[in-house]
Amino acid sequence: MEYVLTANHLCKNYKHFKALNDFSMHVPKGAIYGFVGKNGAGKTTLIRLICGLQKPASGEYMLYGTKNTDSRILETQKRIGAVVETPSVYQNMTAEENMREQYYLRGLPDFHDIPDILKLVGLEDTGKKKAKDFSLGMRQRLGIAIALAGKPDMLILDEPTNGLDPQGIIEIRELILKLNREQQITVLISSHILDELSKLATHYGFIDKGTMIKEIDAKELERVCKKYTELKVTDTAALASELDQMGLQYEIQSDIQAMIYGEIPIFDLTLALAKKNCRVISIHEHEESLESYYINLVGGGKHE
């Protein structure tokens, strides 16, 4: 697998606080990578390191094959667009004026693609309206437009839906999907809003207290979080025989307990088991969410 970003044993300290502690990660090319952790877990610190705003105390990261200690890393970092914490927007400028200012700062030669970027983020019709009069969602989309200046290959978004109303959240979600699918931009999203992230991410990294706890792709996460029914019976051998005939996936947990995946024809199953003198003791349905998976990973406690 090709990775656009890897980190190996990164450490970053602020006096006596370890913001990153032996941290490692792997972001595949073309992914929407959900970077999950509590507030203060180290997400923003990692982003600042990758963007070149800070330096690690130890360890290394590699961006598009270039190590952070390589003199070419500054050039490689130009392939990143980022919105860290709050978008850097000039409030008394229009969307186009903000874009032009960003082009000046980056030394980009001309402004010919600014209208296309504004159209891409849905701000093509804002005209002379100042950014201070934009909704929060519009300002967030303008921040993403500014990050897209220079046509980056990777986009880093730090809590992109924080404070947005439901419509604003939907707009940002659709924009991220569009950038990933149509522009082939790899996206790293730092977030603790897990329900929304589950609608986007193809890969996940779970960070706690500055350490990467788990990396997993969406398909594997769906497999471990999928719905199952916990069934207790008097004879699991009889149960297994019936489940095999019904073509259902299952795992025998003990002499009396099994986990069955997918929808179960409970009535038919109960009748078939009764004919084999097997009695159903109890039935419990379970479906683990991304949130409960994360909480179990970090050892309990509600995420912030």
Side-chain angles (χ1 to χ4, degrees), residues 77-235:
Q77 283 165 337
K78 292 179 182 179
R79 299 176 68 176
I80 297 176
V83 183
V84 182
E85 295 172 335
T86 56
S88 300
V89 171
Y90 294 101
Q91 298 295 326
N92 289 316
M93 290 185 180
T94 66
E96 183 173 348
E97 288 168 346
N98 266 283
M99 292 296 294
R100 285 175 174 264
E101 189 67 22
Q102 187 65 23
Y103 274 53
Y104 280 130
L105 291 172
R106 294 196 179 191
L108 298 173
D110 58 60
F111 309 127
H112 75 277
D113 59 350
I114 288 179
D116 292 335
I117 295 176
L118 291 177
K119 184 177 181 180
L120 184 64
V121 301
L123 295 176
E124 70 273 24
D125 296 324
T126 53
K128 296 182 179 180
K129 188 174 184 177
K130 305 293 186 183
K132 64 182 179 181
D133 298 318
F134 283 8
S135 68
L136 184 58
M138 291 172 68
R139 285 200 295 273
Q140 192 72 321
R141 282 184 279 135
L142 178 55
I144 293 174
I146 290 170
L148 292 173
K151 298 183 178 179
D153 298 308
M154 183 179 184
L155 188 62
I156 298 177
L157 304 175
D158 190 9
E159 303 286 0
T161 59
N162 252 11
L164 298 185
D165 60 24
Q167 182 59 36
I169 290 173
I170 291 170
E171 290 171 354
I172 294 297
R173 181 204 310 158
E174 291 178 347
L175 174 57
I176 292 169
L177 288 171
K178 187 175 184 179
L179 292 171
N180 177 254
R181 293 170 180 174
E182 296 181 11
Q183 306 291 320
Q184 284 77 55
I185 295 175
T186 302
V187 186
L188 172 65
I189 306 175
S190 160
S191 183
H192 64 277
I193 305 175
L194 304 187
D195 180 60
E196 180 57 31
L197 200 56
S198 67
K199 298 179 176 71
L200 288 167
T202 62
H203 297 74
Y204 295 89
F206 297 90
I207 182 175
D208 188 49
K209 297 177 183 177
T211 301
M212 183 68 82
I213 304 299
K214 179 78 172 178
E215 287 188 293
I216 190 170
D217 66 40
K219 289 183 179 179
E220 177 65 12
L221 184 62
E222 182 180 356
R223 188 189 70 78
V224 299
C225 290
K226 68 183 178 180
K227 182 178 179 179
Y228 68 92
T229 301
E230 182 184 282
L231 199 64
K232 289 185 178 180
V233 296
T234 55
D235 184 353

